[in-house]
Amino acid sequence: MLDVVEKLLIVDNNGTAGTAICDVLVDAGYGCTTVSNALEARQQLAEHAFALIICDVASSNGDAMNLVADVLSGHTSLAAIIVTELDAEGAIESARAHGAYGCITRPFAPGQVLFVVSNALYRRQLELEIQSMRAQNDALDFTGSDRVLSAEQETIQRLCRAAEFRDNETAQHIQRMSEYSALVAKLAGMSRYEVEVMRAASPMHDVGKIGVPDSILFKPGKLTDEEFELMKLHTQIGYRILSGSESELLQMGARIALSHHEKFDGSGYPNGLATDAIPVEGRIVAIADVFDALTTKRCYKEAFSVEKSVSIMSEGRAKHFDPQLLDLFIDNLDTALEIKASLPDTDNSNN
């Protein structure tokens, strides 16, 4: 059961899906109110405080996306989830564009409902904490100090743990790529402060996966073209979560989230940036993330040898990776291997 009862609003005019979802959530300790149309939903939102609204696209007479937009524009402390068919044309992508925090896809199991709802509520909590942190920093007028970095660490670490929970990446992966990123930043001549911001910001590269549908994020086989387009949205979702802050740490995190899948030759995503148009932080994290992915065991592959991994990355020189930054990393490979040895995966990692 939940320590604090979160109040949820469910919009469903045929009653079947809404009742089933409500039963699952009530059994888990949530408080639920069910309404049958958008007008009743707006009345409830005006009169009561809710943490989350769940809106069934199929049964909302076309007003689901307007409701989602209302939630985020007029009720800034709320999160929104849609219920839709997995193959509903454009519904999931449209919901993401309107700012929905997650999707429950029919037919759904109780575990899916609880998983999507708990992640949406956790993301909402983190965003509210980030907003509070921004306000505190603005009030204190701290700029560029170690004290500001320290004050932000708990929220950032919790945000990164949420991303880990939503993916198959391990805590050790996050730590290693953070250290690899700091190493390259230092080799590239960044100041001590910039290196520390890089170390703290780089783990936020995949926070946007919080908003990727479970059916795509955890699909065991190859993604379809349509599914991959939705997966690629994690870069923009992460940027939206982190952007708009006065914090240098969150600003860098936002740039990294948006740009770490760009490629030096312009063939990456989401914006097809090339060369120096890609923020240097994104170019650094691309190297750190790929090196760790290649050299460690994943559920879908064995670890490649260091030699093979370096060979693969060298083939991507000036294509995938910034050639100068890649050369710095490879020239200092011994230091990277010391980092790797100091942060080994546990026995149950990547299973």
Side-chain angles (χ1 to χ4, degrees), residues 57-70:
V57 170
S59 62
S60 58
N61 297 323
D63 203 25
M65 301 311 170
N66 289 334
L67 267 179
V68 170
D70 268 1

Side-chain angles (χ1 to χ4, degrees), residues 138 150 160 199 203 322 335:
D138 290 343
S150 177
C160 294
R199 178 179 279 110
D322 181 312
T335 305

